[in-house]
Amino acid sequence: MPPSLNMTTAAAAAISMVSVLLVTVWFLDHGNYESIITKKKDKHDSNDLENSSTEKSTAKEKELQAAWQESKDKLEETALTLRPFLTGGTLQIKPCHNLNEMHGYRCRFTLQFILVNQDAEKECQVWKYAIRKDQKPVPLEDDTYKFANPGLALLMPVLIRELNRDNRNTIGDHCYHYLTEHLTSVSFWSSWDSTKSRLVTFHYNAPLPEAMHSQWIEQANQLRQACGATLISGRAKKVLLRSSNDILSPNSINLEDKIGTQDSLLLMKEEESNSSWKVALKSNVGGDHTQRDNQPCLVAHFFKPEGAFCHPNAFVMLSALSWILNRIDYIHQSSTRRADTDLEKQQLQMLELYCGCGAHTIPIAKSGLVSKLTAIELDDRLVRACQRNIESNDLQHVIQVVSKDAGAWAKQNIRQRQRENGTIELFDILLVDPPRQGLDQDVRNLAMNDQVAGGIQDILYISCGREALVRDFQFLQKEFEIVNCTLLDLFPGTESVESLCHLQRRRR
């Protein structure tokens, strides 16, 4: 059992105290605590409030403890699957331990829209968010989604109230008639820092006639201003409409490349700590953003195009980035594979496959831990976003991004090395964050052959697919061993786990 899970009496008491504090914050965030206090006029009511608050705090504390246990059990189950591959390495699990990590973590999700009878006698219907369960739509309570991050959780009830605002309280007379006709679902999307961009997309099951486009845009802009969204879009077959917004420019050649979310990350290094790197959202760290605790901070700016893949859980993303930087730092400090004394030749060079729009690429290059980073991505839109992020962070001298399938690039690279006999670029570290189905066979082949791979001694493998990860380990274990593995709860309340694995080539 990892040391972090030894539940001593003191630790249990600490968790209990933190739980009570978190529950108090939860009530404040939802406005219940203040509204209840203002309604209590005498001592008797105050006592009732105290008893009620205590009961609710106890209930939330039990809920927190149960969710923590569920998260812990899930990670331990995954650990049992991976432990046979760890002959001498370390394995750590990190369960969720506060309400935000367990509930308010998703920065993108899609919900169904359904009409529900509010009053059968008046034949009045209202719009409700719904999720599918047993192939049937189930309306959400309180017009919010418990896994939505704070910014989206605030937006959701305002948006649905606006859609349900009508003139005569009868079917078909909604103020947003052009928005709701043939409406089937809605997608929410925010920056990792949910106080910034919040994008909404309505989906329709029938074409939107051109004659109603101007009315749709007018109502979408009215709704955007009322609910505080950054942008509202409408998608139907062969049609994409946008509400008016400053981020749109009619003269833009690649308009879609300009629509998305932006974040700023702080990379903080503690010189005296063995685990020296920590990554945080800039908005969550107060004070001077160039220094923290008398240590320098680096700022990485990041853009994610709307609708393109990005990490949906900011808590897990930041933890994964911190882990990656610390493992690269460890590799740099412990590397003995180069006999050169030239400091420049000792700098690490990295190959990153499945790089997306650069969520790992940019912070790694910004940290200065590698001198050269070659990033491979198939999706042209993500490649353009990655190039934009490279330029906005002034990292053109470090990063080269290539638009190509990872497997095809690996196969081509193997052939080039065999033909040119080591005259092309070498790499020290391979970073992979593949889709759920895992690594392409040619990628595994590239890593396995020491001579062909050109010196790859370390693999940093980020995985959300346990079965594919086990399959890839079974193939790679002939040449590599796991020296470090950290498991994170990717989506609390589901079976999804984020596995962070450092594989090192076996010493002969």
Side-chain angles (χ1 to χ4, degrees), residues 15 44 47 53 68 72 74 101 110 158 205 235 267 283 292 316 340 355 367 374 390 398 401 403 409 412 455 480 482:
I15 289 177
H44 176 72
N47 290 336
S53 298
W68 178 87
K72 171 178 170 289
K74 176 175 72 172
E101 290 183 8
T110 298
V158 180
N205 62 0
R235 290 185 179 272
L267 317 180
S283 62
R292 182 166 174 80
V316 172
D340 307 83
C355 75
S367 72
T374 300
I390 292 169
V398 181
V401 60
S403 178
W409 187 94
Q412 179 183 359
F480 290 88
I482 302 176

Coordinates of all heavy atoms in Angstrom, one line a residue, residues 15 44 47 53 68 72 74 101 110 158 205 235 267 283 292 316 340 355 367 374 390 398 401 403 409 412 455 480 482:
I15 N -8.7 14.7 7.4 CA -9.6 14.6 6.3 C -11.0 15.1 6.8 O -11.7 15.8 6.1 CB -9.7 13.2 5.8 CG1 -8.4 12.9 5.0 CG2 -10.9 13.0 4.9 CD1 -8.3 11.5 4.5
H44 N -34.5 31.0 18.6 CA -35.0 29.7 18.3 C -34.7 29.3 16.8 O -34.2 28.2 16.6 CB -36.5 29.7 18.5 CG -37.2 28.4 18.1 ND1 -37.0 27.2 18.9 CD2 -37.9 28.0 17.0 CE1 -37.6 26.2 18.3 NE2 -38.2 26.7 17.2
N47 N -31.0 28.4 16.5 CA -30.7 27.0 16.9 C -31.1 26.0 15.8 O -30.4 25.1 15.6 CB -31.4 26.7 18.2 CG -30.9 27.5 19.4 OD1 -29.7 27.9 19.3 ND2 -31.7 27.7 20.4
S53 N -27.6 23.0 9.7 CA -26.3 23.1 9.1 C -25.4 21.9 9.5 O -24.6 21.4 8.7 CB -25.6 24.4 9.5 OG -26.3 25.5 9.0
W68 N -14.4 9.5 -1.8 CA -12.9 9.3 -1.7 C -12.6 7.8 -1.7 O -11.7 7.3 -2.4 CB -12.4 9.9 -0.5 CG -10.9 9.7 -0.2 CD1 -9.9 10.5 -0.7 CD2 -10.3 8.6 0.5 NE1 -8.7 9.9 -0.3 CE2 -9.0 8.8 0.4 CE3 -10.9 7.6 1.2 CZ2 -8.1 8.0 1.1 CZ3 -10.0 6.7 1.9 CH2 -8.6 6.9 1.8
K72 N -10.5 5.8 -4.5 CA -9.3 5.0 -4.0 C -9.5 3.5 -4.5 O -8.5 2.9 -5.0 CB -9.2 5.0 -2.5 CG -8.2 4.1 -1.8 CD -8.2 4.3 -0.3 CE -7.5 3.2 0.4 NZ -8.2 1.9 0.4
K74 N -11.1 2.3 -7.0 CA -11.0 2.2 -8.5 C -9.5 2.2 -8.9 O -9.1 1.5 -9.7 CB -11.7 3.4 -9.1 CG -11.5 3.4 -10.6 CD -12.4 4.5 -11.3 CE -11.9 5.9 -11.0 NZ -12.6 6.9 -11.8
E101 N -12.7 18.3 -7.1 CA -12.1 17.2 -7.9 C -13.1 16.1 -8.2 O -13.1 15.5 -9.2 CB -10.9 16.6 -7.2 CG -9.7 17.6 -7.1 CD -8.5 16.9 -6.4 OE1 -8.6 15.7 -6.2 OE2 -7.5 17.6 -6.2
T110 N -21.7 17.2 -23.3 CA -22.9 17.4 -24.1 C -24.1 16.8 -23.4 O -24.0 15.7 -22.9 CB -22.7 16.8 -25.5 OG1 -21.6 17.4 -26.2 CG2 -24.0 16.9 -26.3
V158 N -29.0 29.6 -15.7 CA -29.4 30.9 -16.3 C -29.8 30.7 -17.7 O -30.8 31.3 -18.2 CB -28.2 31.9 -16.2 CG1 -28.6 33.3 -16.8 CG2 -27.8 32.1 -14.8
N205 N -31.8 18.7 -35.3 CA -32.0 17.5 -36.1 C -32.6 17.8 -37.4 O -33.1 16.9 -38.1 CB -32.8 16.5 -35.3 CG -34.2 17.0 -35.0 OD1 -34.6 18.2 -35.3 ND2 -35.0 16.2 -34.3
R235 N -25.5 24.3 -34.7 CA -25.0 23.3 -35.7 C -26.2 22.5 -36.2 O -26.9 21.9 -35.4 CB -23.9 22.4 -35.2 CG -22.6 23.1 -34.9 CD -21.5 22.1 -34.5 NE -20.2 22.7 -34.3 CZ -19.3 22.9 -35.2 NH1 -19.6 22.5 -36.4 NH2 -18.2 23.5 -34.9
L267 N 4.5 27.6 -14.4 CA 5.4 26.5 -14.2 C 6.3 26.9 -13.1 O 7.1 27.8 -13.2 CB 6.2 26.1 -15.5 CG 5.4 26.1 -16.8 CD1 6.4 25.7 -17.9 CD2 4.3 25.1 -16.7
S283 N -4.6 31.9 -12.8 CA -5.7 32.6 -12.0 C -5.8 32.1 -10.6 O -6.3 32.7 -9.7 CB -7.0 32.4 -12.7 OG -7.4 31.1 -12.8
R292 N 7.5 33.0 -7.1 CA 6.6 32.5 -6.0 C 7.5 31.9 -5.0 O 8.3 31.0 -5.3 CB 5.6 31.5 -6.6 CG 4.7 31.0 -5.6 CD 3.5 30.2 -6.2 NE 2.6 29.6 -5.2 CZ 1.7 30.2 -4.5 NH1 1.5 31.5 -4.7 NH2 1.0 29.6 -3.7
V316 N -6.7 16.9 -13.4 CA -5.9 15.8 -13.8 C -4.8 16.3 -14.8 O -3.7 15.9 -14.7 CB -6.7 14.7 -14.5 CG1 -5.9 13.6 -15.1 CG2 -7.6 14.0 -13.4
D340 N 29.8 12.6 -23.5 CA 30.3 13.9 -23.9 C 30.4 14.8 -22.7 O 29.5 14.8 -21.8 CB 29.5 14.5 -25.0 CG 29.3 13.6 -26.1 OD1 28.4 12.7 -26.0 OD2 30.0 13.8 -27.1
C355 N 0.5 14.7 -30.3 CA 0.7 15.9 -29.5 C -0.5 16.8 -29.4 O -0.5 17.7 -28.5 CB 1.9 16.7 -30.0 SG 1.5 17.6 -31.6
S367 N 9.8 24.9 -20.1 CA 10.6 24.6 -18.9 C 12.1 24.7 -19.1 O 12.8 24.8 -18.2 CB 10.2 23.2 -18.4 OG 10.7 22.2 -19.2
T374 N 10.4 17.4 -31.2 CA 9.7 17.2 -32.4 C 8.3 16.6 -32.1 O 8.2 15.6 -31.4 CB 10.5 16.2 -33.3 OG1 11.7 16.7 -33.6 CG2 9.7 15.9 -34.6
I390 N 3.0 27.6 -30.3 CA 4.4 27.7 -30.3 C 4.9 29.2 -30.5 O 5.8 29.7 -29.9 CB 5.0 26.8 -31.5 CG1 4.8 25.3 -31.1 CG2 6.4 27.1 -31.8 CD1 5.0 24.4 -32.3
V398 N 12.7 25.8 -30.4 CA 12.7 24.5 -29.7 C 11.9 23.5 -30.3 O 12.2 22.3 -30.4 CB 12.3 24.7 -28.2 CG1 12.4 23.4 -27.4 CG2 13.2 25.8 -27.5
V401 N 6.7 21.1 -35.2 CA 5.5 20.3 -35.3 C 5.3 19.8 -36.7 O 5.4 20.5 -37.7 CB 4.2 21.1 -34.8 CG1 4.0 22.3 -35.6 CG2 3.0 20.2 -34.7
S403 N 2.7 17.5 -39.3 CA 1.3 17.0 -39.6 C 1.4 15.7 -40.2 O 1.6 15.6 -41.4 CB 0.5 18.0 -40.5 OG -0.7 17.5 -40.7
W409 N 4.5 8.1 -39.4 CA 5.7 8.8 -39.2 C 6.8 7.9 -38.6 O 7.9 7.9 -39.0 CB 5.5 10.0 -38.2 CG 6.7 10.9 -38.1 CD1 7.0 12.0 -38.8 CD2 7.8 10.6 -37.2 NE1 8.3 12.5 -38.4 CE2 8.8 11.7 -37.4 CE3 8.1 9.7 -36.2 CZ2 9.9 11.8 -36.6 CZ3 9.3 9.8 -35.5 CH2 10.2 10.8 -35.7
Q412 N 8.1 5.5 -41.4 CA 9.0 6.3 -42.3 C 10.3 6.6 -41.6 O 11.4 6.4 -42.2 CB 8.3 7.6 -42.7 CG 9.2 8.5 -43.6 CD 8.5 9.8 -43.9 OE1 7.4 10.1 -43.5 NE2 9.2 10.6 -44.7
G455 N 18.6 5.9 -29.9 CA 19.0 6.3 -28.6 C 17.9 6.5 -27.6 O 18.1 7.0 -26.5
F480 N 12.0 -2.6 -22.0 CA 11.7 -1.6 -21.1 C 11.1 -2.1 -19.8 O 10.5 -3.1 -19.8 CB 10.8 -0.5 -21.7 CG 11.4 0.3 -22.8 CD1 11.3 -0.1 -24.1 CD2 12.0 1.5 -22.5 CE1 11.9 0.6 -25.1 CE2 12.6 2.3 -23.5 CZ 12.5 1.8 -24.9
I482 N 9.1 -0.5 -16.1 CA 8.5 0.6 -15.5 C 9.2 1.0 -14.3 O 9.4 0.2 -13.3 CB 7.0 0.4 -15.2 CG1 6.2 -0.1 -16.4 CG2 6.3 1.6 -14.5 CD1 4.8 -0.5 -16.1

